[in-house]
Amino acid sequence: MAETWIRLLGPPRIESAGTAPRQPRGRKAWAVLAYLALQPGGTGRARTAALLFPDAEDPLGALRWNLSELRRTLGAESVGGDPLRLVLPAGWNCDVLAALQPAGGVDPRIFDGDLLEGLTFEECPAFESWLEDQRHRLENSVLTLLYEASLAALAAGRADDAVDFATRALHLDPFNADCHAVLIKTLLALGDYRRAREQADKCRELYRRELGLGVPAEVRRALADAAPPAEPGLPASSAAVRSYLDAAEASLSAGSVDRGLEQLRLAAEIAQRTGDHHLLAESLVTLSGALIHQAGGRGAEVADLLHRALKSEGLDPESLASEGPNPGRPASRVAAAAYRELGYLSVQRGIPDRAAGWLEQAARAADGFDDERSRILAIQGMAASDTAHYGEALAALAESSRLATAVGGRRLLAFSTALTGRVHLLRGDLEPAAECLDRAQELIAAEHWTAFEPFVAGLRGETFLAAGRLEDAAPLIDRSWVMADVAGDHCYLTLAAGAKARLSMALNDQAAAESWLKRGLDTTPWYLWYRARLLDTAAEVAIDAGSPAAGDYADRLGTMASRGALRELVVRAHSHRALLGDTAAAETIPWLAKDIDNPALNTYLARRGQL
């Protein structure tokens, strides 16, 4: 049977090799199909009818006609029930489902165009807003698939494919420094130094002309040979590699990050010469972990290291099928760590669908390693919290904490406990938030884990702020900023700047709030949720001040939150737009907020007269 594809990206159509399949009639039939495809949990008939047929005399009747049209096209069992669900017939595929599938495994070059490209629905303002949000989300997902495919192809030695993938990714986002970097790395792997330099020059000129910035650090690193040469006469032995790994651990523990990274690069370079693939994978994962968690690395360099590590372990990073690329493969701590770090990068970059795939793979590889399982669950909880699935977040973090306690991992426990406190804070549950964050602070002090202190101190300060205890909030928020500034951590600086701005507003100091927001917006955090939350605060402050910047902040927040599926922040962007006179945004708010279980959000919207 010929494979049939429902193409919802680009001009919508149904394609099947060698045949001319029936097409749904009418743009509303396509709208219903797209909406159902992107509601994996199903959606109520009344809700769907009101969303897509608000002006019809009989909205449910109009919906029934379009559902019948889809059944005539897709098959009698394709749509039905209440809640409505889309069930594709055997041999049928849908591009938006493939683009968001955590398992991946589809060539991303098949995805081209916007969701329902060319179709508009002005008479359905809530659906138009939903469609815009989903277009941003899908564009980000396709960009990520192309970027990850380029890294996987580079790790596999297929440089021509890597060039093609990276070039396509840059067509979607010409300012993406990581895509520029992987293209340059690939050209260097091909030995095409002239084109690599030309690509770097092109990026430099683009950033100078359009952004007034210098060449991105990722591009500079891609042009340089990151691995130092091994010392003359040093034997390529496992003992030498282990010695450098041990020395690096000591250096990093002592706070000598640059020295530790140099030792880890040497370990990886020597491991490459030993021919021991597992030892090389371990060295690459250890190096990438140090870059991520101690040097603030989040870009193409660390992603390339992790893809190379998986390849060295005999795993295919391009294949994330649900049954795993190698069914029956024994658990591997190294593979679990590599998958987990890729998941962590995806969470911070705001790509939850891809993060889910990496973390599922990590969980399979971590079978029997409770400390690793605790780490994976904590990151799954972080992702669920960012996307406003708060019940899932609390469940994952509770299990992470249980495992951390069982293995005696105090830093693991501090991490999971602090993230649990964040969930409670966002939901307005201040007492459990305070308990969790106080416990996390105790664990951090016992471990002398100063690198994590800005996060916990800032959130504890915000808990006091939410309770109206400004004198208690101020010193903790100040400490969060100072500790983040000392560490040079832009993610925590962004978090602390937002807290300082909110504290300033509580003190009726508009000028100070605007100053702190400017300082925060000048940072360059990797973590999308931090940046989006700061834009949310900026929009609130600008609205209170009657500033013309309010609309720009709200629009930037809406785009960023949509790209990262940050559902609550999407709602808050619509809330700001509604206050600024956007009637379509006002109509959309109840639809979006209904799916989010957060009493604090409902209180916020009700206070603004939007629920």
Side-chain angles (χ1 to χ4, degrees):
M1 182 172 58
E3 190 175 60
T4 302
W5 276 88
I6 300 171
R7 305 290 188 188
L8 298 175
L9 298 175
R13 72 265 184 213
I14 297 176
E15 298 176 346
S16 186
T19 65
R22 188 183 192 279
Q23 305 291 318
R25 291 181 297 168
R27 60 193 176 92
K28 287 295 182 74
W30 285 111
V32 172
L33 179 55
Y35 188 65
L36 294 182
L38 291 166
Q39 302 293 321
T43 180
R45 282 178 177 258
R47 176 183 174 89
T48 306
L51 180 69
L52 280 162
F53 308 99
D55 298 328
E57 290 186 10
D58 181 6
L60 283 171
L63 175 62
R64 283 194 297 271
W65 187 93
N66 282 276
L67 292 174
S68 296
E69 178 64 16
L70 291 179
R71 292 190 197 99
R72 284 191 290 269
T73 304
L74 279 64
E77 306 299 323
S78 57
V79 290
D82 193 4
L84 286 166
R85 296 179 189 275
L86 174 66
V87 179
L88 294 181
W92 285 60
N93 304 280
C94 180
D95 55 2
V96 297
L97 295 178
L100 296 174
Q101 173 57 251
V106 176
D107 188 333
R109 287 173 285 205
I110 70 169
F111 306 124
D112 186 25
D114 284 335
L115 178 63
L116 299 185
E117 190 172 296
L119 301 185
T120 58
F121 304 87
E122 294 91 345
E123 75 283 14
C124 308
F127 181 75
E128 273 276 284
S129 295
W130 174 87
L131 183 60
E132 180 185 2
D133 292 341
Q134 295 302 313
R135 283 172 173 168
H136 288 309
R137 175 191 177 194
L138 285 158
E139 180 184 58
N140 194 34
S141 182
V142 172
L143 172 67
T144 300
L145 290 171
L146 288 166
Y147 167 63
E148 289 186 350
S150 67
L151 287 165
L154 177 60
R158 295 186 289 102
D160 289 339
D161 280 340
V163 168
D164 184 33
F165 287 128
T167 301
R168 289 170 183 265
L170 284 170
H171 283 309
L172 290 178
D173 183 1
F175 296 97
N176 192 297
D178 288 329
C179 293
H180 281 286
V182 74
L183 179 54
I184 289 167
K185 289 167 76 73
T186 305
L187 292 171
L188 290 174
L190 286 168
D192 197 337
Y193 302 104
R194 179 184 61 80
R195 284 180 63 198
R197 287 192 296 271
E198 287 176 352
Q199 183 63 35
D201 290 341
K202 186 186 300 183
C203 177
R204 180 184 295 107
E205 175 57 23
L206 177 69
Y207 268 63
R208 183 198 63 77
R209 184 180 67 250
E210 301 295 335
L211 304 177
L213 299 174
V215 65
E218 282 298 316
V219 172
R220 289 199 305 271
R221 281 194 290 268
L223 281 172
D225 182 10
E231 295 180 13
L234 193 64
S237 66
S238 60
V241 175
R242 293 288 175 200
S243 296
Y244 272 114
L245 290 174
D246 291 343
E249 182 180 5
S251 297
L252 293 170
S253 297
S256 182
V257 175
D258 289 342
R259 179 59 177 159
L261 292 175
E262 180 184 356
Q263 291 161 337
L264 288 173
R265 292 188 193 281
L266 280 167
E269 195 273 337
I270 298 169
Q272 178 77 50
R273 292 196 285 116
T274 66
D276 185 331
H277 297 297
H278 178 74
L279 185 61
L280 174 59
E282 181 182 350
S283 301
L284 292 171
V285 168
T286 305
L287 172 57
S288 64
L291 286 167
I292 292 168
H293 300 291
Q294 294 185 272
R298 298 289 190 278
E301 180 187 14
V302 291
D304 181 38
L305 291 169
L306 292 166
H307 277 76
R308 286 170 54 197
L310 289 171
K311 204 68 183 177
S312 295
E313 277 286 272
L315 298 166
D316 183 0
E318 291 180 283
S319 174
L320 288 176
S322 59
E323 72 275 15
N326 293 278
R329 170 178 284 273
S332 164
R333 184 182 291 278
V334 170
Y339 285 129
R340 184 242 308 154
E341 295 289 23
L342 286 165
Y344 180 73
L345 294 178
S346 293
V347 171
Q348 293 219 323
R349 293 163 66 93
I351 317 152
D353 301 293
R354 294 301 291 164
W358 293 123
L359 294 172
E360 286 171 11
Q361 287 289 73
R364 281 192 287 272
D367 186 28
F369 304 119
D370 283 354
D371 58 337
E372 189 59 47
R373 289 174 57 211
S374 176
R375 293 184 182 94
I376 294 162
L377 283 161
I379 297 168
Q380 288 174 327
M382 178 192 296
S385 174
D386 290 354
T387 54
H389 293 95
Y390 297 120
E392 295 177 22
L394 290 173
L397 293 169
E399 180 63 9
S400 174
S401 297
R402 185 189 70 79
L403 290 170
T405 301
V407 300
R410 290 197 296 188
R411 290 197 177 193
L412 289 177
L413 183 58
F415 187 69
S416 297
T417 304
L419 288 173
T420 303
R422 183 181 74 157
V423 175
H424 288 309
L425 172 62
L426 294 174
R427 286 177 47 83
D429 297 328
L430 300 186
E431 286 190 18
E435 290 174 5
C436 287
L437 293 167
D438 286 343
R439 175 60 175 147
Q441 284 185 308
E442 293 171 2
L443 291 164
I444 287 169
E447 285 289 299
H448 306 288
W449 193 14
T450 56
F452 192 49
E453 188 176 355
F455 178 79
V456 181
L459 290 180
R460 186 64 179 100
E462 289 199 50
T463 308
F464 281 125
L465 179 59
R469 296 171 57 180
L470 306 190
E471 291 184 359
D472 293 317
L476 283 165
I477 292 173
D478 285 345
R479 183 167 181 82
S480 175
W481 172 267
V482 171
M483 297 298 286
D485 190 35
V486 169
D489 190 307
H490 282 221
C491 290
Y492 293 153
L493 282 170
T494 304
L495 180 73
K500 290 286 291 182
R502 287 186 286 277
L503 176 62
S504 298
M505 288 299 291
L507 294 169
N508 297 312
D509 191 340
Q510 180 82 29
E514 292 175 354
S515 175
W516 279 109
L517 286 168
K518 183 180 184 306
R519 294 177 75 173
L521 291 169
D522 284 342
T523 62
T524 54
W526 287 103
Y527 198 169
L528 189 76
W529 186 84
Y530 287 162
R531 185 71 167 185
R533 190 165 184 245
L534 185 66
L535 284 171
D536 177 44
T537 301
E540 283 190 349
V541 170
I543 288 170
D544 286 346
S547 168
D552 178 60
Y553 287 139
D555 289 342
R556 287 167 61 189
L557 170 62
T559 299
M560 186 176 294
S562 296
R563 287 176 67 85
L566 308 178
R567 300 187 308 154
E568 181 164 333
L569 289 167
V570 169
V571 174
R572 294 174 75 94
H574 283 297
S575 174
H576 301 319
R577 289 168 172 164
L579 280 186
L580 295 169
D582 188 332
T583 56
E587 290 185 35
T588 306
I589 290 167
W591 290 95
L592 298 177
K594 185 177 180 181
D595 294 331
I596 299 173
D597 180 18
N598 186 355
L601 175 63
N602 293 336
T603 300
Y604 175 83
L605 296 173
R607 190 167 62 245
R608 288 182 156 197
Q610 294 169 338
L611 273 188

